[in-house]
Amino acid sequence: MVRKIKAKVVLQLRAEGLSGRAIAASQQISRNSVAEVLEAADAAGVRWDDISTRA
């Protein structure tokens, strides 16, 4: 399973338009881990805009 901090990065990179494969390669995690994070976020209705700390 992906650590919490990696999950945030995965959501951020998806919001920037990267593919699951590109996210996995850039973060050196498996494509399955990326898919798990994205599926869980989609199921919960969570997007990067919901968790980002932009002021």
Side-chain angles (χ1 to χ4, degrees), residues 20-44:
R21 187 180 297 249
I23 294 169
S26 71
Q27 298 303 304
Q28 299 179 339
I29 57 178
S30 74
R31 290 186 348 221
N32 288 339
S33 293
V34 171
E36 283 183 30
V37 169
L38 298 179
E39 288 171 10
D42 289 344

